[in-house]
Amino acid sequence: MENSPKIPSPRVKRKDRAWNKGKAVGPKAALSADQVKLIRNSLAAGKEWRDLALFGAAIDTMLRAVDLLKLRVSDITDPSGAILDEFGLKQQKTGEPHRVALSASTKAVLDTWLSIARKLPDDLVFTGLKAPNLYRALSRRQYGQLVKKWATLARVADPSLFSTHSLRRTRAAYVYEQTRNIEVVKTLLGQKTVASTSAYLNIDKKRALDIGRKYEL
């Protein structure tokens, strides 16, 4: 008698394991003022104008990556080509209008980068360094890789704790620490509610930890 063909057993569908199961996931770390200075000095010393312009604009504007990377020269310059002190945009995530400001130092570096790259008004501001990538927007993945590189320049113990949101959070956290004015930070971030801003900066948890430290056993 011939052996009966084996009937494959039905495949049991495996439940996908969550990528963050067992891992501590939370807001990415912000940079300290000293770390920001160290990164700026390192990029300036290497004459990495694109990266220095991107880093400065990210810190100053506190924009989400999706909004920062789609900026065009005409968004940040006046008709004569001068870099604006502040400019408006429509946030992709919320659809709401938002205004941001640039520091004098960031304006100067942006002007240098636009001049070196010979950017025209319709060109994207933050692109690759050489043609043809000089006319293609940086991807969020590329931006994230740059942030890890910058965190290394800042000599952080674990660069993986930093992401593009670290740059959005850095100045917001610094302003809050200096002023304790959550309304101001909410406006700077372009968020709709104080609750959203408090959660974004993890303020309630920080307050709880600060209070807890006062009652050691």
Side-chain angles (χ1 to χ4, degrees):
M1 180 177 178
E2 295 181 357
N3 293 332
S4 300
K6 292 182 179 180
I7 301 174
S9 59
R11 178 177 290 180
V12 177
K13 189 174 182 181
R14 178 180 63 85
K15 291 184 179 180
D16 289 333
R17 179 185 175 90
W19 70 270
N20 58 354
K21 187 174 181 179
K23 297 180 180 179
V25 179
K28 291 295 185 178
L31 294 164
S32 69
D34 287 341
Q35 289 169 335
V36 169
K37 184 177 180 180
L38 185 56
I39 292 170
R40 280 190 166 129
N41 288 343
S42 296
L43 294 176
K47 297 184 178 180
E48 299 178 60
W49 305 122
R50 192 278 311 270
D51 288 8
L52 186 55
L54 176 57
F55 180 75
I59 295 293
D60 286 359
T61 65
M62 295 168 279
L63 287 174
R64 298 179 182 89
V66 66
D67 293 321
L68 183 65
L69 297 180
K70 72 179 182 181
L71 289 176
R72 295 188 180 273
V73 175
S74 58
D75 294 325
I76 66 170
T77 58
D78 65 19
S80 71
I83 307 294
L84 297 167
D85 291 326
E86 60 180 62
F87 59 92
L89 72 157
K90 184 177 181 180
Q91 299 178 95
Q92 183 168 307
K93 182 177 180 178
T94 65
E96 296 293 325
H98 183 47
R99 290 195 71 78
V100 295
L102 296 169
S103 65
S105 59
T106 297
K107 286 175 58 182
V109 176
L110 276 166
D111 190 52
T112 299
W113 161 239
L114 296 183
S115 177
I116 290 173
R118 298 183 179 180
K119 297 283 188 179
L120 299 176
D122 288 338
D123 289 341
L124 291 160
V125 176
F126 302 116
T127 59
L129 297 173
K130 296 180 180 180
N133 292 331
L134 190 59
Y135 307 103
R136 296 174 184 167
L138 288 175
S139 67
R140 291 189 64 179
R141 181 173 177 275
Q142 290 171 318
Y143 181 26
Q145 290 173 334
L146 285 172
V147 172
K148 297 291 192 296
K149 172 186 171 183
W150 299 337
T152 300
L153 291 178
R155 301 169 188 167
V156 302
D158 186 358
S160 68
L161 297 177
F162 295 80
S163 75
T164 60
H165 267 287
S166 296
L167 303 193
R168 174 166 160 78
R169 187 174 286 112
T170 290
R171 186 160 170 253
Y174 182 74
V175 170
Y176 178 74
E177 289 297 326
Q178 297 298 310
T179 67
R180 298 292 172 176
N181 191 326
I182 194 68
E183 285 283 355
V184 167
V185 179
K186 175 180 77 70
T187 300
L188 290 173
L189 286 171
Q191 294 179 324
K192 291 184 177 181
T193 67
V194 166
S196 296
T197 304
S198 180
Y200 187 72
L201 296 182
N202 222 10
I203 289 173
D204 290 339
K205 183 176 181 179
K206 289 179 180 177
R207 286 173 176 166
L209 290 173
D210 287 342
I211 292 172
R213 290 190 187 96
K214 296 178 181 179
Y215 297 94
E216 294 183 5
L217 294 174

